[in-house]
Structures are given as structure tokens and as C-alpha cells.
Amino acid sequence: MGVAVTCRRVVHIYRVEATDVVALAGVDLTIGPGEMVALVGPSGSGKSTLIALLAGLMRPAAGRIDVGRYDLGRLSDAELHRLRGTEIGVVLQGAERNLLPYATVERNIWLAQRRVAATKGVELEDPERILDLVGLAGQARVRAGALPRAAQQRAALAVGVAAGPGLLLVDEPTSQLDTDGRDRALVALETLNATRGTTVVVVTHDLAVGARIGRVVTIRDGRVGSEGRDGQDFAVVAGDGTVQLPPEVLGEFPPGTLFAVDHADGSVRLQSDGHD
Amino acid sequence: MTRLVIAQLVARWPQAVLLVVLSAAATAAAVSAGVYAGAADREVIAAELAAADRTELFVAYGPHRREWSVVPAADPASALLGELDGFAAVTTVQLPVRHEAADATDQLVARQDLCAYVVVREGRCPVANREVVLSPAAAAAAGVRPGDELVLTPAADPAGEIAAGPAAGFTVVGLVEAADRHDPYWGPHRDVADEAIYTTANSIARLEHGTELVTVVAVLDPAYLSAATLPAVRADLDRVWREAARLSEPGSDPPLSSGIPQLLDRIDDNRDRVRQLLPVAAVPLVALCWFVVYLAAGYAAGSRRPELGAVAVRGAPARARLVLAGGELALPVLVGVPVGVAAGQAVVSVAAGQAVVSVAAGQAVVAAGGGAPVAPAQWAAAGVALVGSLVAVALGLRRELAVPAVTLLRWVSPRPRRWVLATAEVLVVALAVAAVLQARARDGEPVGVSVLAPALVMAAVAVLVARIAWPMVGLAGRLALRRGRLGPAMAAVHLSRAPATTRLLVVVAVALGMLGFAAVAADVAGQHRAEHAERAVGAARVLEVRQVDRMQLLDAVRRADPEGRYAMAAVVSSGAAGQPSMLAVDTTRLAQVAGWRAEYGEPAPGQLADLLRPPVPESLPVRDGTVAVELSLPDGARPGSTVLSMALVSTGGERMAVRFGPVSGSRNVYQADVRGCAHGCRLAYLSLSVTGDGPAAVIWHGVEQDGRDLVPAGWRGGTWPLVRERDAERMVVEAGGGGLTVTVPQARRGAFYRVLPPDTPHPLPVAAAYDLPDGSVAGVDGQPVAVTPVARLAGLPRLGDTGMLMDLEYAERTATASGATGSSEVWLATDAPADLVERLEAEGLVVTAERTVAGLRELLDGSGPAVALRYHLLAAGLAVAVTLAALGQAALADRRVWTVSLRRLRVQGVSRRTVTVTALWSYGGLVALGTAAGMAAAGVGWLVTGHRLPLGGDSLPLAEPLPLVWPQPAPVLVPWLAAVATLFAAAAVAGWWQRGAVDRKVVR
């Protein structure tokens, strides 16, 4: 079953050669159990950082992240490590980074199941069935390094869900894939989401991928800039009350532009200085 | 997990193979020290046996007296020595016999197993009762031949004057000679072989006689002596000594003699030295192997960071992560252990086995080397090597296992913390300083951390060189970049920034340092041994001859080599307690024959010979016939109480005295017949004696023979030295009264008051290798002689820095008695003719032993330090091989990390040539820096620690450190440059391979 994800005013700062770089500047995001969400945005906007925080690979400088019933900020490193082996599945950008190329696909899945095998003691899901879900039926004995790139990506997805996580975090699952490969990967994700109810968060540059997933959260300058649902874009009110203007709108209003705000009948009207 | 580990090994087999090699090298290094010690034991024992004096190869009990009986009583000595393991007992019974026909006394001897140790020249060996054999010389002296009968009468005294039994006839059945005079079979009576009459034990038993002398000699079987049997031999000898003491009369020493304890002591000293010196090379080699295993593990882990990150990000349990990270490293390490054990044995067997055969040629003991089962100690050493390698693997992996998953997901490894590096470097330097200080404090004895002193000093130098080099390399890279030389610039950046390059540089430097150090030490030690051999032998070849009268020796050598270019007579006497050793040689040949070393100092041997043999007046010659001496008494002297004798000495050294007097009061001519001077004699001295105590005096006016005045013209007014009597200082010799007046104010009856003639060098000129004051020392005849030092030398051939040198002929003139003292020798020049030995033997000299510089050098090459130094070279060679493996590991790791970067640059337009130059400069630069650092490391290591290790010992000063001298270029540079060339070749291959990998991917 999928788990809910909640981010509240999440801030993350990298320290690079004695300089602080704000990667996330107060992200507020709520993802329901079993929901599929695409995180989009330009390079450096903070998408991958947010994924890493959701995976418990890094800890936020401020704010709170809940994954299911866990407040990640309160968990120890060991508990986060265990969580990644059970509740959270991570698929890193670049399929080859998720796989041991010299091992068979089946062995890769088997290895990804070690934690859950050790902690729950439950019967593990058959690798063949997992591969069937991602469209790689009959490929279990194939060496991961020998698979075509598109198949490798789906094998990476299979490894990511091998432990049966409630949350699957996928970083750029369609990069470097052709259209067919992209579609196969998306089908695999949709199948996983549909059959298991797994909550899926996908980071992508590809707006078409986002459109297919349905809910698209745009990260801009370390914040949630906007959100699109079913083809319609929405501005999002952040926890601190701020709302980002769409980029195409912002182009007309340089920083420092003053707006008059009219709020009536459930709508908000911004009237800039110098405009009627 | 096993399948995964196997898949890893299959996928990365080159890395696994290199790890097997490294683990095998560590194991082989650990095992080889023990194996080599065993081989060294065999070599040392073989060398010491070869060098042993024959007296060091047997135990002799007796001779002790035994009353004769027809059935000989059981001899306790035979029982005592007969049961010694590894010894063969030989019983000898002898008794003096009177040979009436020849009017001579001989020894009748029954020696056990005689026929196996003699060569029958004529006839056969004695087997039946009353059969005897003699040496050809003894038969000639006795005037008998095979088939003749000898009538012998047992005697009760050595002079044969008292009969101890009835005369008996013996048949001479053959003429025999000792097959090998040096064979310990002959025991303490080597010369008996030439002089005795040999018969069977039964013949002596059935010959009625009084007491007989019994000697039991237990001869050591050289093949029996080994490291395993040494303690037992010692224990047996101790037991024999205790038992013999119990058998002997209270208060008297048991009649036992043996040099075996000294031989065993030398063997033990050499074995100890080997065991002290082997760890000096073995421990650093093992440590180097571990360090390279650590580097390899670090390289492997570093290059597999994404893979490890992928596993960590799945929350894999620690055990799974550990197996996945370390399994493919630990398994090759395990596989390397048996390989290393076998390799260690094989390498040592080949290296040591050949050496043993070369040293011990002709000896019964030759090292077997290979094929021996692995001893428990070797398995223990292999276990230590394994544990060390696994710890090294764990240390190499520690960072990748300890860091968070997100860190592993980053491609580039974080740089080690500076303080960690600085601490490690300070630790190495501090350890090196501590090791050197301990080595100084322990006076070079390699114990504790000082065992690692050379390696630590070399590592410290390498670390410091790296510390200095990298910033300079970085600067050079920036300069190259400004000049547009992209390839070298990129290589410099790679070298100066990659953390592992420092460690690899240290490996290269330490390995080349070890090789340089070992090569220098081996060469300097070899020079030292060669010099020692030259000093110890004295000339290119030295013949030890049967002890002979000094003048006979001198005369025989001069006649055998009339040119005086190839042979020199020498007499060597070991100094008594507190007295220096003495070397008396025929200095007229010193410059041509002696091995004179420049280190002995000035003057040169030719000039020295002139100083030792200053001109003296000619001698007073006397020949056979009547000699007339004119004598008178001074006023007041008692007539008829004084006798004057002329002591004459022939050219062959025979001395005789001619008496004149008692001297009456008036001037008279006294005559006496001289015999034995057919070839000429010289006046050795005048001797005055008295018939009663009281003052004595005589005037010697001159001497004539056949009407000729014999007194040389040069004697007129010459000095007549007074010597040799306790009252000599009260004796007065003065020219006057028409002759030479000799006055003894208080003469004693029975005393001889000697006056040496003017041709006697007085005081005797000597050259000393120590501060010899004017005074007297023991002369060639052992009697005090006044000497004057004419040269102070730093050393002398044969004697080293504690003896003195004099002219044999002049020294003989100061002697009061002829005879043989010390060791009679003939020194031969390098270019001595092949037939010279025959000519010497034709002159009556019997060569009993021979020493050559080459022979001694060969024996010294089997000494403990020399054997240990060969292991140092072997270990250094292994260190270079390990460095090659380290380079290979680095190249493999670079292929997975650095190659990716190069590939990206290539894709972005960097030319193929630039990539090639970068790759070649990278590895080549590392080797070049390592070579420079290795040279510095070897030099500093040698200067600081080399001469503090007891590497220069030999059978004499075993623990002597090596002198700080320059090595010969070729023996050091050839192996060193070969190693450097190999490393450069490996660097070129690695660079080329790297370039190829970049190119292939780009093309694909």
C-alpha cells in the first residue's frame, strides 16, 4: 500500500567551499497515499535534492518531512537506512547506477530484498513477478549490464520496488531513452502504481512525462512554484503565504514590482503599480 | 552472496589476479624469511665446515697410557667416544720401538681403518700378524723395502734406551702415504703418517711390551652436522667432557682435546647473525606488501563507489554490504596464501640452493632447499601475512563502509582530511627517528624498532619528498597549461590532486630504496670481505709448509725462486698474551709478492723493505777446516778460567759452536776444526763462559782460516752489541788492546755471555701497526730482542692492525737458537709460475695447506651476514615486483574513474595525442618522482643506518659494522637501473593501455 508524504517548510542548504547555497527554500508539499506525482523544474531548482531528502539520504536544514507515519527528521541514520530497505524505494538517475552490471537481474532484485527479508521475515515477492510488472518477464537470468538501456531502466525500477515499498522515488526515469523506451518505463511505473498502490514521486525534465503522470509539481528556486493537475496549472500558496508567479508572467514584472491585491469572491486580483 | 562475489571476481578478474599476486607476495615474504633461514643454516654450516681447521672436526681422547696385555682391556675412552652420534671413532695404539739395524727409535702404530686412509705406493696393506708398512721416506731412512724384515725392540722410553720386551721381526709388506694429510682421521698426529711404522692391532697385542699409548679420535661426519643436530652435538660433547672428567684422576684435566666447540660457536654466531639480519629486509617487505594490499583495496573500493552506493541506498544489511564490498578482495587474498607459501619456498630454494652449491663445492653438505614440507613456523608466518592482508583490506575499505549512502553516490572520493595525512606523515618520520636512535643506542644490534630503521628512514624520506614534490608538480602543471602544453598539464593536475598518488609514490620510492640499499650494502660488504680476504691471506696465494727451520725456509724459497719475484718466505707467530703478532718475511721480495694495500699507509713496500733491511757490514765467513783464533787475557784476568766460543750458523740454519780455550794469560793462537760449513757459515755470535764464578775477561784479536784473516774490514770500529743474558748490562765490550776486549765483572759458571757481531742489525728494525715504543719484544725465536720502529703503519698483511713486521733474515741474526717457530709459510705472487710449488717441494718443503684470496673470499661469502645480504637483494627484487602490481592496480582503478574523465575531455574535443601524453606523463611522472625519491631514500637510509647494521661480519669480527665507503657503480647501478627501467616500461604500458581504453569508448 502507498504511503502519504508531507513536506512542511523544508529548507536545505549545501555548503560549497565556505559558501552556503540554498537548494530548497521552504518546500511545502503534500502527496496522498497511492498518488503519482511528477516533480519538474529547471536544472538546479532542487528537484533531486527534494528526492534525496524524501529518501532520507540527506537531512533538511529546517522543516519537517513525514513519510507515512515516520517523521524523517526524528529517525536515526540506522532507522533511515532500514526505512530505505523497506518503506522507501529509490531509483537513482541513470539506470546503471542502480544495478550491479555483472549480476543477473534476478540477483539485483534479490540483493535489494535483503533488508526487508531480514526485518520482516515475510515471504518475499518473486523476482519473476516483479519483472513481469515492469515488462521484463523472462529476463531474470540476464546479466544487468547486458540489457539494453531501456530495459536497464525498467530493471532499475524493478530493483526499486523489489522490497515492496510504500513510496517509490524515481529520479529521471526517462532520460536518455527514446520514445518507445520512455513509454515502456512510464507504463511500468503506472502498472506498479495501479497494482500495488505504491506512491510514486518522479523527478523529470520531460513535461510530457509530467503530463502523463497527472499531477505535476514545479520546483523553482527551491520552492514549489506551481502545480498542474490534469493539464491545468495552479499557483500554490506556500506555508509562509507566498505564491510564485508563473515564469511567463514574472517576465513582465521585474523584481520590486508592487502589486495591489484585491480579494473578493474566492479570487485574488493583483494590480501592479502603473497598470489599471 | 557467494554467487554475487563470484560474479564480481569474474567481472573484475585482473584486479583479483593482482590481489592474489599481492597476497602471495606478502605470504611469500613472510614465509621466505623462515625458509631462507633454514637454507642459510645449511649454507653457513657448509661454509664453516669448509673453513674449519682439521682440529675442529674431531674429538681426541689421549694419548693415555695403558699397560700391555695379550687381551687388551676395554678402553673407557673408546666406549665414551664410540657411542657419539654423527662421529666415527678411531683408536690408535702406539709404542716406541728400537730399530736396531738403523740405530734409530721409531713409533710402532696400529691405527684403526688405516688402509682406507692411505694410498699404497708399493706392496699392500698389513693384514696379518707381524706385518708393517711405512711411508717411502721412513722406509728410505730405515733402509728397508717391501719384503725386508725389520727387527724391532719395544722400548720403555721415548729414546729407546730401555727395552720393554724382546725383539721381534716384522715383515715390511708395503709403502703407503696418507691419502689426505688434512683428513681429520689422522687426529692430532698428522705427521705420524710420514714417520711411523704401521702394523695391525693384533700385531701390537701379541708383541710383548710394557705400556702403550692409546688415543681415541672421534671424527665428525660433516653430513651429520645440521641445524637440527647442532644442539645434540653440543649436548653430547658436554656429556663426553663430564664423563671424561669423572674418569680422570682428581685434580687433573681430562686428556680431551677438540676444536669442535669453537666450530659450533662460529656456526651459532653466523646463524644468529642471519636471524638478526633477515627481519631487516623481510619485515619491511611484508609491510610493503600489506601497504600495497591496502592501496589496492582502497583503489578497488574507490572505483566501486557508485556500486556500493547503489547497494547502500537499498538499505542492505551491514553484512551484505561487507560481503559485497570485501568479498571480492578477501577471497583473492585467501587464495594468495597457499600460492605465497609455495612461491616463498620455491624462490628461496632457487636463490639459496644455487648459492649453497657454489659455496660448498666439494663439501658433503649441500643444501637441498626445495621439496621440504612446510614447517609449522612457516604456516604461522603465512597466517600472520594473511591476517595482515585482511586487516589491510579492511582498512582500505573502511571509508566506503563507514560513509553515508549519499556520499557513496558522489562520483569523486572526498579527499582525506589534512590532519590525518599530516599525522600519518609525522608518525612515519617520528618512527624513523626513534628507530635510528635505538639503533645508535644498541650499537647497531638490530632489535625492536631498529630492525625497521632502514625501511623507516627510506619511507620517511619518500614521504618528505612527496610532501615537497606535489606542490611543485602542481606548479609545473600550471606553467605547462600557460604554455599550452595540455597533456603534461593534465597529468600534473592528476598527480598532484589524486590522494592515492602520494601513497603509490611512497611504494615506488621504498621499493627502489630497498633495492638501492640492498645493492649498496651487498657491494660494500662484498668489498669489505674481499679486502678482509686480501688482508687475512697476505698474498694472492699462501702455502703453509710443514714447520721447518727458519733459515732452511728462507734458503729453500730463495733457491726455488732465484729471481725473487714470485715467492717469499714468511714466518708468522701469534703473539702471546699482551704481545703483538709477528710477521717475519724475506723483505727482499716484499714489494713483488705481498698483497700490499694502500690503506696500510706509507712507506710503500719497496721503501719499507729498505728500512727493515738497512745495510750492515758483511758477515764473518767460515768454512770447513781449521779455524785459528788469536786470544789473550787483559791485565788482572785469571788465566785458564775463560773459554771463548764462536757460534756459527750455516746457510741452512744449522748452528754449531767452536770452543777456544781455556785462555791462558799470554796472546796465543787457539785452533779448532769446523764441520758442517761446507756451503759456508757465518759467525752468529761470540760466547764467553767461565769455569768458576768471578770476574772474567778476554781479548779477541782476530780469526784466520787457511792463513786468511776472516774478520771483514767493515767490522773495524763497528758496534758489537751485547745481548741475551740477564747480566748483559754488566758486560763490557770495547775495542782496545789490539783487539776486542770482553769483560764480565761478575761472571757465573754455566752462563754464556754472548756478543753479537757488527753484521747483526741491532736494534732490529721493525714496522708496527701499533704504537711500538723503543724496547724489546719477542723475536723469531721467542726470545727478547731489542727493536726499533722504523715505520708506523695502519695495517699489515695477514696481521691486520695489531702486529709488527720484520725482515726474516735480519731477525734470524738476532736469534740465539735456530729452529722452527710459528707458522712456516711461502707467499706467492699472483703471477707465480705453475711449477713453483714443485720447485719448492723439490727444495724439501712439504706443503700442508694452501690459502688463496679467492678461496677465503668464497668462504666468507658463506658467512652469516653475506648470506643474509643475499636475502636483502631477493627481498628488494620482490619489493619491485610488488610495486609493479601496485602500478597495475592503480591503472585498473584509473580505468574506472580517471578514464571516464579523459573520455569526457576527448568527447569535448581534446586530441588523441593530448590524451596519450597525459596518460604517459601521469604514470611516467609518478615513476620518475618515485625514482628520485627512491634514490634519495636509499642514500639517506644507507648513510644513516647502513653502517650501523652488523652487515660486514665474517668469521673474524662477526658483528663488525660495514665501513662507510662508496660502493662500486656497476654492481649497484645495474640492478637498480634495471628495476627503474622495468617500472618505466610498466608505466608506459599502463599509460598506453589507458589511452586505448579512452579511445575505444570514444570511437564506440
Side-chain angles (χ1 to χ4, degrees), chain B residues 512 880-881 884 887 927 974-989:
Chain B
L512 288 177
V880 173
L884 287 173
L887 272 175
V927 172
V974 167
W976 203 76
L977 289 178
V980 169
T982 306
L983 288 175
F984 268 112
V989 169

Side-chain angles (χ1 to χ4, degrees), chain B residues 892-912:
Chain B
L892 281 174
D894 282 345
R895 187 155 180 160
R896 288 195 287 272
V897 183
W898 188 43
T899 308
V900 176
S901 307
L902 291 176
R903 197 177 301 146
R904 285 177 185 151
L905 290 170
R906 184 90 170 83
V907 170
Q908 289 167 19
V910 172
S911 71
R912 183 182 178 189

